[in-house]
Amino acid sequence: MSEGLDTVTGFLDAVHPYDSLPRDELARVAGSFSRRTYAKGAAIYQIGQPLDGLYLIRAGAVEVKDSLGQTISLLGPRNSFGERGLARDGLAVTSASATDDSEILVLPPAEYRRLLGTSAAFERFFGRGRASEPRSAGIATRKVADLMAQASVTVTPVDTVEEAARRMRDAGVSSVGVVEGERLVGILTTRDMTGRVLAAGLPGATPVGAVMTRDPVSLGPEALGSDVLHLMYERRIGHLPVVDGGRLVGMVTQTDLTRFQAVGSGQIVRDVAAAATVAEMAAATARIPQLLAQLVGANTPHEVTTRLITDVADTVTRRLLAMAEEKLGPPPVLYLWLACGSQGRQEQTGVSDQDNCLMIEDAATEADMDYFAALARIVSDGLNDCGYVYCPGDMMATNPKWCQRVAVWRDYFRGWIATPDPMAQMLASVMFDLRPIGGTVGLFADLQRETLERAAKNSIFVAHMVANSLKHAPPLGLLRGFATIRSGEHKDRIDMKHNGVVPVTDLARVYALIGRIEAVNTRARLEAAEAAGVISASGARDLIAAYDLIAEMRLVHQMRLVRAGAKPDNFLAPYDLADFDRSHLRDAFVVVRTMQSAVGQSRGAPG
C-alpha cells in the first residue's frame, strides 16, 4: 500500500469490528488493504463479476443496487460492502457505484476469510444473522449491545462537576452516566457542562446531581439500532444510556453511529418529527411503500421490516399528539394514547389502517372529556391524511367507547373476562394487543398486569379465547393444494393476512395469555412462550420458522407490487410461485394447522 501504514491503521482503529483487534493484528490487517479511488458515477463492480475483496469506504459515498436496479443502500465512510458475494461464491450479488468522488480500501478475499475464522468480533459482525441478510442494512437491524463502543464512564450525584469533566477528558468521551450503586439516575454531557455550569457561572465544586439530566430516556441492550436513531431524532439528543434491569451497561452516542448510517426509516422518522404540518408528514409517509421494497429487497428479516415501518407510524402519532396539544392547550389531566392491531404489535406492512384508543386519568371531568374527544379527532384525522385510514370497525379513539377513563377500561376488561361471549372475545383479542404510544405509560402498566393475571386464572375465558384463535384457518386444500378464494376480485388467491399471519398471531396471543406474557409482538410472544414453558422448544422452533416464512412471503408479494407500480395488498397467487416456494409455503401452513389442533385439544376449546 502506497499510503502510510500508520494512517490506515488509525482509520481502521475507528471502524468496527477492526477496533476490536489487538494492536499487532490491526497493523497486519492494515497492511493487507489496497487503496482505490473512484470518480463520481464510476462503477465499482457489477452483478456477477468476481469480487476483489471486502470494500471499505474511507471517503465519499456508494450506492448499492439489486438485480432489478432498485437501490438497497446508500453508504458512507466506514461502511463495508461486498460481503454477501464473498460469503457465497465470490461473485457480486449486487452492483455498486460511486455517487461522489470516493476512496475505497479493499481487503483481499483470503484475508477476509482468515479474519472470519480467527476474530470473534469479525465473525459476529459479518457472519451473524440469516445467511441472506446483507450487512448493508446497517444500524437499523443491529442490536444496541453491538453498537456500544465501550463501557460507560460513571460518576455519582455527589461527585463534583470538576471531577466529572476530568473523567470525561481522561476517557475521551462526551458524557458520563450518573449512578447510585449500579442504578442509573441521570446523565451529564459536555453540552450540559457548557450550558448549565460554565454559562451559569457555577463553581467546579458544584455537585453533579444539581445539573445532571434526571431519569434520562434509555434503551435495553436488545433494542434495535433503529430505536437509537428514532429516539435521537425525536428527542433531539445525542447520548442514550443502555440499561439492563436498571443497571447502566453502556452509552450509545451520535459518534458511535457515524459508521452505521441508516438512511431509510431513520430519514422518514426525522422528516416526520420535524414536520410543521400534516401535509409535510403525509409527504414523508408516502415513501413507506418504497421503504418496504428496499428493506425486503435487501433481505431484511420480516420482524425488522415491520418494526421499522411501525416506528414511522408511532412517530406520526406522537407528532400529531403534540400538534393537538399546541392547538387545544395543555391536557387538563394525564392521558395515554395506545395503539392496537398491527401497530400495537409492531407488525405494520404496506397495508395498514388505524386502531387506537385513549385512556384518561380518573380525575377527568366531563369538560375534560370534551378536550380529549377533540384531541382524538385531530389525531385520527391526521393519521388518515397520512395514509393510516380510518378503521372500518371504528376501533378508534374518536369512538366515545374507546375514549374513556381508566376505571371504565378496568370495567371493560373485567366484563369481557367474566362474560366471554363472541363480542367480548373479539374485543379482548384486539385489546390484548395494546401498546402505549404517547402520554403517561403508568396509566396502563398496572391495568395490563391485573388483566393478564385475572384472565389467565379464568379457565372458561381461556377456553373461549382458544376457540376464537381457531376461527382463522390456514388455506390448506386437498392433495397438497391450497384453498384459494373461489370468486370475486381475488379469485384463485390466498389471503396472506387473515389466513396467513393472523392464525399465528392468534396462537401467540393465547400463549401470552396462558403464560401472562406482557409482550405484544407475535414473534416476541412465541419466544417468550417457549422460555416460559408454555410450548415446547421443538413446537416453538417449528412455529417460529413457519411464521417467518409466511410473513416474509407476504412482504415479498407486497414488494413486487410496489416495484410494479401497484398498491401493496395481501392476496397472493400460490400457483404463480416456483414449485420449491409453493411446497415450503404449504408446509408452513401445515405446521400452523398442527399447532392450532394442539392448543385446541390441550385447552379444551368449547365447540
Side-chain angles (χ1 to χ4, degrees):
M1 174 178 286
S2 59
E3 189 167 2
L5 182 62
D6 289 344
T7 303
V8 176
T9 303
F11 171 72
L12 293 178
D13 198 31
V15 179
H16 193 69
Y18 304 96
D19 57 359
S20 65
L21 297 175
R23 302 303 301 178
D24 56 343
E25 175 71 347
L26 180 63
R28 180 187 186 285
V29 172
S32 300
F33 276 95
S34 61
R35 174 180 173 274
R36 300 181 184 180
T37 58
Y38 296 88
K40 180 178 179 180
I44 299 173
Y45 60 70
Q46 298 291 336
I47 291 177
Q49 291 181 347
L51 292 166
D52 294 331
L54 178 70
Y55 297 81
L56 174 62
I57 305 171
R58 183 172 181 187
V62 171
E63 181 178 34
V64 180
K65 294 184 176 182
D66 63 14
S67 59
L68 297 178
Q70 298 289 324
T71 299
I72 296 175
S73 298
L74 297 172
L75 306 177
R78 297 183 175 85
N79 285 145
S80 297
F81 58 102
E83 63 269 29
R84 289 180 62 201
L86 292 175
R88 297 184 179 184
D89 54 4
L91 301 179
V93 296
T94 58
S95 62
S97 60
T99 56
D100 201 350
D101 293 342
S102 300
E103 178 183 351
I104 310 292
L105 301 179
V106 184
L107 184 69
E111 183 66 4
Y112 171 74
R113 288 190 290 270
R114 186 190 70 81
L115 285 170
L116 281 177
T118 59
S119 168
F122 209 86
E123 196 284 329
R124 281 195 304 271
F125 187 81
F126 289 108
R128 73 175 186 271
R130 303 174 191 186
S132 60
E133 181 185 350
R135 292 273 65 82
S136 60
I139 182 180
T141 58
R142 288 184 167 83
K143 291 185 177 180
V144 167
D146 299 321
L147 299 174
M148 297 185 299
Q150 59 185 15
S152 179
V153 178
T154 63
V155 295
T156 70
V158 297
D159 285 329
T160 65
V161 293
E162 181 178 0
E163 174 61 21
R166 186 179 300 112
R167 294 186 190 181
M168 283 191 270
R169 180 202 63 192
D170 293 345
V173 296
S174 55
S175 66
V176 289
V178 186
V179 297
E180 290 181 342
E182 291 186 334
R183 185 173 66 90
L184 177 71
V185 296
I187 183 175
L188 186 69
T189 68
T190 52
R191 183 176 179 180
D192 297 331
M193 297 286 281
T194 301
R196 300 177 185 176
V197 180
L198 294 178
L202 296 179
T206 301
V208 167
V211 294
M212 70 182 184
T213 298
R214 295 182 178 276
D215 300 320
V217 62
S218 63
L219 290 172
E222 296 302 308
L224 295 176
S226 62
D227 295 327
V228 177
L229 278 175
H230 297 171
L231 275 175
M232 286 184 172
Y233 288 151
E234 278 195 72
R235 305 293 182 91
R236 294 179 171 84
I237 55 178
H239 302 76
L240 266 176
V242 181
V243 176
D244 188 5
R247 182 175 63 89
L248 180 66
V249 295
M251 189 81 68
V252 178
T253 71
Q254 288 181 337
T255 302
D256 296 326
L257 305 183
T258 56
R259 63 182 180 269
F260 299 119
Q261 184 61 40
V263 178
S265 64
Q267 183 63 54
I268 296 177
V269 164
R270 181 164 56 185
D271 291 347
V272 168
T277 65
V278 173
E280 290 179 5
M281 281 192 284
T285 57
R287 306 200 302 268
I288 288 177
Q290 188 58 41
L291 170 65
L292 180 145
Q294 289 183 7
L295 291 169
V296 178
N299 294 315
T300 305
H302 72 89
E303 68 273 19
V304 175
T305 296
T306 55
R307 170 68 176 274
L308 298 179
I309 291 173
T310 305
D311 284 350
V312 176
D314 291 355
T315 306
V316 170
T317 305
R318 285 190 286 266
R319 185 72 189 100
L320 288 168
L321 287 169
M323 287 181 171
E325 291 185 17
E326 290 169 6
K327 181 176 181 179
L328 301 173
V333 295
L334 301 178
Y335 76 91
L336 179 63
W337 184 281
L338 303 100
C340 47
S342 60
Q343 184 184 0
R345 295 189 304 274
Q346 297 180 300
E347 293 168 3
Q348 287 191 317
T349 67
V351 188
S352 296
D353 59 6
Q354 56 174 291
D355 300 280
N356 45 62
C357 64
L358 265 173
M359 291 186 180
I360 302 162
E361 190 178 13
D362 288 336
T365 65
E366 288 306 311
D368 295 338
M369 297 302 288
D370 291 339
Y371 172 97
F372 290 109
L375 179 141
R377 175 53 59 192
I378 292 171
V379 176
S380 183
D381 288 348
L383 287 170
N384 185 71
D385 290 341
C386 290
Y388 306 100
V389 298
Y390 299 122
C391 173
D394 204 20
M395 297 290 296
M396 297 180 293
T398 48
N399 183 337
K401 185 171 185 177
W402 311 128
C403 179
Q404 291 289 346
R405 299 173 181 87
V406 173
V408 175
W409 280 102
R410 181 170 282 106
D411 288 342
Y412 282 165
F413 280 106
R414 287 177 176 176
W416 294 333
I417 294 168
T419 311
D421 57 34
M423 179 57 70
Q425 295 170 36
M426 186 276 290
L427 293 174
S429 293
V430 173
M431 295 306 177
F432 272 121
D433 293 348
L434 286 174
R435 182 172 61 88
I437 304 298
T440 304
V441 177
L443 294 177
F444 177 63
D446 290 342
L447 176 60
Q448 182 189 35
R449 284 190 290 269
E450 173 193 319
T451 300
L452 281 173
E453 187 78 16
R454 184 182 295 269
K457 290 179 178 178
N458 189 321
S459 60
I460 296 176
F461 177 76
V462 173
H464 279 275
M465 287 293 288
V466 168
N468 189 65
S469 74
L470 304 181
K471 291 180 178 178
H472 293 100
L476 291 170
L478 299 176
L479 302 175
R480 293 197 59 79
F482 294 89
T484 58
I485 298 170
R486 295 182 178 180
S487 60
E489 179 185 359
H490 305 299
K491 186 176 183 293
D492 297 329
R493 295 175 179 270
I494 55 177
D495 186 339
M496 292 292 284
K497 176 182 178 180
H498 291 103
N499 300 112
V501 297
V502 167
V504 185
T505 296
D506 289 344
L507 282 173
R509 188 182 298 112
V510 169
Y511 297 148
L513 174 61
I514 295 169
R516 303 174 193 180
I517 295 164
E518 295 184 6
V520 295
N521 175 264
T522 297
R523 208 172 191 279
R525 280 172 164 171
L526 295 177
E527 292 172 344
E530 178 189 1
V534 177
I535 50 177
S536 67
S538 60
R541 182 173 60 250
D542 290 346
L543 187 55
I544 290 173
Y547 176 60
D548 287 345
L549 189 145
I550 295 166
E552 286 172 2
M553 291 192 74
R554 177 193 183 199
L555 290 180
V556 168
H557 166 70
Q558 293 189 4
M559 174 195 71
R560 289 171 177 164
L561 289 174
V562 170
R563 289 182 173 177
K567 290 184 177 180
D569 65 30
N570 293 300
F571 300 97
L572 173 71
Y575 297 107
D576 289 346
L577 298 173
D579 290 345
F580 180 87
D581 292 333
R582 187 167 61 248
S583 176
H584 279 70
L585 179 59
R586 192 180 189 284
D587 289 344
F589 287 142
V590 170
V591 170
V592 177
R593 172 74 63 81
T594 302
M595 295 299 287
Q596 284 183 324
S597 299
V599 75
Q601 293 170 4
S602 65
R603 292 287 162 173

